[in-house]
Structures are given as C-alpha cells and as structure tokens.
Amino acid sequence: MALLADGVSRLLIDGKLTSGGAGRFATINPATEEVLGEAANADAADMDRAIAAARRAFDETDWSTNTELRVRCVRQLRDAMLEHVEELRELTIADVGAPRMLTAGAQLEGPINDLSFAADTAENYEWTQDLGLASPMGIPTRRSVVREAVGVVGAITPWNFPHQINLAKLGPALAAGNTVVLKPAPDTPWVAAVLSELIAQNTDIPPGVVNIVTSTDHALGAMLAKDPRVDLVSFTGSTATGRSVMADAAATIKKVFLELGGKSAFLVLDDADLSAACSVAGFSVCLHAGQGCAITTRLVVPRARYDEAVAIAAATMGSIKPGDPSKPGTICGPVISARQRDRVQGYLDLAIAEGGTFACGGGRPADQPAGFFIEPTVIAGLTNDARVAREEIFGPVLTVIPHDGDDDAVRIANDSPYGLSGTVYGADAERAAGVAARLRAGTVNVNGGVWYSADMPFGGYKQSGNGREMGVAGFEEYLETKAIATAAN
C-alpha cells in the first residue's frame, strides 16, 4: 500500500476515511513553494461528528477497560509506521521542510519508537493500588486507589515537529484508555492525515477511538476546547493560543494541559570552554531553522568575553547555509511558510530598530530564489529587555547577551515570561549543576546532556505551559484518580 497514493489525504471519523465538508486545501512544500497535493478540509459538522464518535466509543465500548487491546493497537500503529518509514521520511521532508538528518531522530523515527514506551507503560502500570485495611472514623474499611482514563481527549498540535507531538499525545492517551480527536496544524496536514490511513488499514483500533480532522479553520480547535463532550484538551502551540484554549475550556471545567512557547537561555559560565559552548549554541539554533520551542535562543556570556563570544557564534552560524532539506548534509532548511518567514524578518528588522547589529545573517539568502528560507542570524548589542530577547521568534536567530557572573546569568535566564528549557556550560561540573538548579525551567541540560527521551517528562514553567508530555508523568496526564472505600465489617 502506497501512502496518499492519489495525492489527497482524508479525514478519519468513526473509523472511516472521508472527505471534508469544506472541500480540500493545498499542502505546500516550504523548500520549493510547490504544491504537494491536497488535504481534506473539515468543517464544523465534521468536527461535531468526530467528537460524537469519540464520545460514543468511550462510553459504549470496552476500549477504556481492555488494556490488552489498547497495548496491541498501539504496537500495531508503531509497526505500521516502521513498515512505511521510508515513505514517511520523504513525506515528512516535503510536508514539514524537515532536514533529512532529523528524521532519524525527533522528526520521525524517535516518535515512532516512543510508541513502545506508551504501550509498555500501560501493560505494566499499577492501575489499582491497595491501601489496605484502616479504620477512619472508627469504621473498618478496605481502601484502594484506581487510575482510569479521563475520557474524550481533544489534541491540538502544531507544525514544527508534527510526528513527535502527534504521537506524544496519541500514544499515551490511547494506551491510557482514552478516545481522541486530533486537530493538527493546517501547515502540515499530510504528516497527520497519513496516520488516518495507517490506523484504518493496519490496526484493530475500533471505530471512533481515533478521529483525525484536518482543516484550515482554526475555530475547530476552539470547538474541542468548548464542547462538553470533550473531557481533556492537550494543546501544543503558541502561548497566545494556549490562553484562548484555557479560556474556552473554563466553561466546562475540563482538564487542560499546555505545552507552549519558550525563550530559553544558554548560560556560559566564566570557566567554560567559550569556543565549544558558543559553537554548540549557534549550531543548535540552526537546526530545523530554529523552529523548536525548547531551542536556546538567548546566549548569555561573560561580559569580559562578549565580543569573542559573538564572533564564535557568528562563525558557526555563518558557515551553516540554508538549503534543500532533502539533502543529507542540510542542517537548516526553510521555515514553514511565507507568513512565518515574514514574521521572522519582522523581528530582524525590529532588532536593528532597537539598536542591535547583525554579526551574521539578517535576511533571506540570496542563493535561494524559492522556498521560505531565512539566514542564520546572530544579534549583538542588545540587553535582555529588547523584544527580540523576550519574544519567541521561531527562526534561526540567536541573541547574545552579556552577564556579570553566575547570579546575574541566572537572573537574566529567569527574567522571561517563559520557562521551558535551558542550558548551562561550565568546567566545574558541581558549579554548573548548582546554576542549573536555580533555573526556572522544565528541562535543563548541563554541558551537553540530552533530556529528550521517551521516559523523560517534557514541559515548562510559567507561560511555557502546564502539565507534562512523555515519561510516566505524561502518561498520567491522561488518567483520573478514583478512591474506593469498602466497609470491611
């Protein structure tokens, strides 16, 4: 079976592959600006049918209680994706603009393999905990704590790492016993919609358990947040949209967890290898054109070595040329759309207006006449008060900021509305760990440690969101807790 063989993706609603009530919309290759094909464009009636199907599947089938079935189905999805991994790789590069090198990790193969963690967790989870016999208020009582599925999950996902985020929601939500309505970003509809084919044709997932609704209408995401038939909303995206999701969900007091924006800091202590640290910082900002919420986009360096740090970062980033993501050596591909390219350029123009300078980059690469490319850019000469140092740009842009010692570096890092990620580099490991412990961020690496893993929880502090994705903590976001007390006399 070839995936999307006719160049058109479909919705998955109540176990059936179907067209969208609003027709179709084009999906664009961001590296070439060419039309790849079309995606089903759902309307409000389609979303209503999807929610109804998910509600019915949760309430009227044994999906939520049949752990053996759920584990088997999640593994079937994993196996189907692995069987088609080379097709998925080419589709991901074209639909997302993801560099080929990243599809061996978080852009494809990593998330597929992470489905094993969700299945294994469900298979081995202690669903019922026996608290034994006690006599509260003098009444002999046997007590237990039961964990069970929340219900219908509305999952709303972005375009930057779509496989990773779609599967980090679908895997644990399904393994925990929930039914799901997935509303992916319209910028990368094929990456999500291909799951519709794989689920419908390669798994025993019952009708209605998974519904995938692609649409250009962002109001359909709001429907998920507002609808009383939906018990939980899991959203990944911008902080501004996250606020709207939380507000929409408030009317029904449904559970919401959010993975939002970031403006993370890369702290270089005065005993660090400056060349190594600043090179790593520059390289990481170029990966996937900087389109990652946890990328460290503020490089905070000792003031006495500021000019040297800027030069090192600029040398690294200036040597990384944006290019064809299908080529094996490409690090920095395009941003996702013309709108996003214009948004990044607007921030670059703002940097100059705020008094900054470019140590490299600053605009569109002259050798890329087509595609949504932006040059890797180092901004110097600004403080942490500048908007380009405080607002999420989501492009290959690094702002270098001076610090006056460890306390000042921590102050700068924490002086942000966000708290998603952070990095600390220092020769004295104990000292670096002490600085890391003071960062108000959900994920921190010290001297290049890697926190991205299926068994590690991911999420942020402050306006970077609430709740956690991945790890056992991420699995448990999709569970309710029930206390049962039975009289023992």
Side-chain angles (χ1 to χ4, degrees):
M1 179 195 75
L3 301 175
L4 303 177
D6 61 355
V8 177
S9 70
R10 291 165 176 80
L11 312 177
L12 177 62
I13 298 178
D14 205 11
K16 297 181 177 64
L17 297 172
T18 181
S19 300
R24 299 173 180 173
F25 64 98
T27 182
I28 306 296
N29 184 327
T32 64
E33 303 184 49
E34 296 173 346
V35 175
L36 295 170
E38 295 181 310
N41 199 5
D43 60 13
D46 293 319
M47 179 59 81
D48 182 73
R49 288 192 300 117
I51 295 171
R55 185 76 263 167
R56 185 171 57 254
F58 185 81
D59 292 340
E60 299 179 11
T61 76
D62 70 344
W63 176 258
S64 66
T65 57
N66 192 337
T67 303
E68 181 181 355
L69 172 63
R70 299 197 309 270
V71 168
R72 182 172 80 248
C73 288
V74 171
R75 289 175 178 155
Q76 286 173 335
L77 177 58
R78 175 203 61 198
D79 293 346
M81 294 188 76
L82 288 174
E83 181 181 346
H84 292 276
V85 71
E86 294 309 322
E87 285 181 85
L88 289 169
R89 193 184 316 281
E90 300 308 318
L91 184 150
T92 303
I93 293 167
D95 198 27
V96 184
R100 182 175 297 277
M101 62 178 290
L102 292 182
T103 63
Q107 281 288 10
L108 179 61
E109 293 184 44
I112 294 173
N113 290 313
D114 289 351
L115 288 171
S116 299
F117 179 82
D120 293 349
T121 300
E123 189 171 49
N124 299 301
Y125 194 71
E126 186 180 10
W127 296 96
T128 300
Q129 181 184 10
D130 184 0
L131 296 186
L133 182 66
S135 297
M137 301 183 187
I139 300 173
T141 303
R142 294 195 177 280
R143 292 107 18 89
S144 60
V145 176
V146 177
R147 305 303 301 274
E148 57 189 28
V150 171
V152 175
V153 171
I156 306 171
T157 58
W159 42 259
N160 58 326
F161 282 81
H163 286 301
Q164 198 281 318
I165 300 167
N166 291 340
L167 296 180
K169 296 185 191 302
L170 276 177
L174 295 175
N178 301 278
T179 60
V180 180
V181 179
L182 171 63
K183 166 64 172 68
D187 306 84
T188 52
W190 275 12
V191 167
V194 74
L195 295 174
S196 300
E197 290 187 6
L198 293 172
I199 288 169
Q201 298 171 8
N202 296 273
T203 77
D204 297 323
I205 294 176
V209 167
V210 179
N211 305 272
I212 299 176
V213 182
T214 56
S215 178
T216 57
D217 186 356
H218 292 285
L220 300 194
M223 282 183 65
L224 285 171
K226 293 176 180 178
D227 198 299
R229 294 170 294 179
V230 176
D231 300 294
L232 180 154
V233 174
S234 174
F235 171 80
T236 299
S238 73
T239 296
T241 304
R243 290 191 191 98
S244 297
V245 169
M246 183 175 278
D248 288 339
T252 53
I253 320 294
K254 61 171 55 74
K255 187 175 182 180
V256 176
F257 73 92
L258 308 169
E259 196 275 283
L260 306 176
K263 194 69 181 181
S264 303
F266 189 121
L267 306 187
V268 182
L269 307 185
D270 60 18
D271 66 343
D273 181 333
L274 189 75
S275 179
C278 295
S279 295
V280 169
F283 179 85
S284 66
V285 171
C286 296
L287 285 169
H288 193 31
Q291 297 172 113
C293 53
I295 292 175
T296 46
T297 54
R298 292 182 293 154
L299 177 58
V300 185
V301 301
R303 187 179 300 276
R305 304 186 70 184
Y306 181 81
D307 291 343
E308 185 182 355
V310 169
I312 295 166
T316 297
M317 293 179 65
S319 70
I320 297 173
K321 304 301 181 184
D324 183 352
S326 68
K327 293 183 177 179
T330 298
I331 295 165
C332 182
V335 296
I336 192 65
S337 64
R339 181 179 63 180
Q340 181 62 18
R341 180 189 61 200
D342 292 345
R343 181 178 184 273
V344 175
Q345 187 63 58
Y347 274 106
L348 297 180
D349 296 343
L350 176 63
I352 298 301
E354 290 186 306
T357 59
F358 298 140
C360 69
R364 298 180 62 174
D367 62 346
Q368 296 291 345
F372 309 126
F373 293 96
I374 286 282
E375 296 173 307
T377 301
V378 173
I379 299 172
L382 296 175
T383 68
N384 198 54
D385 295 325
R387 281 182 59 193
V388 294
R390 303 194 70 77
E391 299 177 15
E392 187 173 45
I393 297 173
F394 233 58
V397 181
L398 182 68
T399 303
V400 188
I401 300 167
H403 73 75
D404 295 308
D406 292 4
D407 290 346
D408 192 44
V410 170
R411 178 193 64 79
I412 292 169
N414 290 339
D415 180 18
S416 170
Y418 301 110
L420 188 55
S421 189
T423 294
V424 180
Y425 263 63
D428 184 331
E430 184 176 352
R431 175 187 173 193
V435 170
R438 296 163 63 189
L439 298 184
R440 297 286 295 168
T443 55
V444 182
N445 91 63
V446 178
N447 291 331
V450 177
W451 45 258
Y452 174 71
S453 177
D455 60 348
M456 285 283 281
F458 174 74
Y461 290 18
K462 300 186 283 185
Q463 292 184 35
S464 286
N466 53 45
R468 290 297 179 269
E469 205 144 64
M470 303 175 70
V472 174
F475 179 83
E476 290 180 336
E477 293 285 358
Y478 295 99
L479 298 177
E480 291 280 19
T481 301
K482 178 183 289 181
I484 299 177
T486 303
N489 52 346

